[in-house]
Amino acid sequence: LQLAESGGGWVQAGGSLRLSCATSGFRVEHYAIGWFRQAPGKEREELSCISSISSITRATTYADSVAGRFTVSRDAAETTVYLQMNSLKPEDSGHYSCAAAWAPTSDFCAVLPGEWRYATWGLGTSVTVSS
């Protein structure tokens, strides 16, 4: 199981970035994907969850801090999960990671599950938002 994030970088406040989480080495259809970030000196924050491909109904959920600005989605081949980040703020700066959890039903993402529910993590990508 491997996850690889990309798309981080520097952006001015109000701008946008799209992060990618490429999955490989496992049957991704049964895995939910979460996005997380960690700012220097702060605890890791859970941002979003998108339910597995195999779940009958798709579910996405977001932290209050990013709801309405960030959108999580899967590509057509459903091997990559994206985090579209709009209206970025300096406080969105941090190291962003994706993680996978075996979760064949959509109720896993009914609410943010908690990082302890995720078994596989990528190395992350850094985002800097300047004011």
Side-chain angles (χ1 to χ4, degrees):
L1 286 70
Q2 288 188 323
L3 303 172
E5 302 90 339
S6 61
W10 178 90
V11 65
Q12 285 189 320
S16 299
L17 282 175
R18 189 178 77 163
L19 305 184
S20 299
C21 174
T23 65
S24 62
F26 59 103
R27 295 180 63 87
V28 66
E29 61 263 34
H30 298 307
Y31 284 78
I33 302 294
W35 280 99
F36 298 78
R37 73 181 174 202
Q38 187 166 21
K42 295 187 177 181
E43 293 186 353
R44 184 156 54 192
E45 179 184 11
E46 187 173 12
L47 302 178
S48 69
C49 181
I50 184 167
S51 60
S52 62
I53 301 164
S54 62
S55 58
I56 297 174
T57 57
R58 294 291 180 90
T60 56
T61 192
Y62 300 90
D64 289 344
S65 60
V66 303
R69 299 188 298 122
F70 290 14
T71 303
V72 62
S73 63
R74 293 181 182 267
D75 71 342
E78 311 221 52
T79 58
T80 300
V81 174
Y82 301 105
L83 185 67
Q84 178 66 44
M85 307 187 297
N86 298 328
S87 302
L88 283 163
K89 306 174 183 179
E91 52 264 44
D92 292 318
S93 298
H95 194 73
Y96 285 67
S97 302
C98 62
W102 191 87
T105 59
S106 62
D107 59 349
F108 182 84
C109 291
V111 296
L112 291 177
E115 64 177 85
W116 67 275
R117 298 288 300 273
Y118 293 89
T120 303
W121 292 78
L123 296 179
T125 184
S126 291
V127 171
T128 302
V129 184
S130 65
S131 57

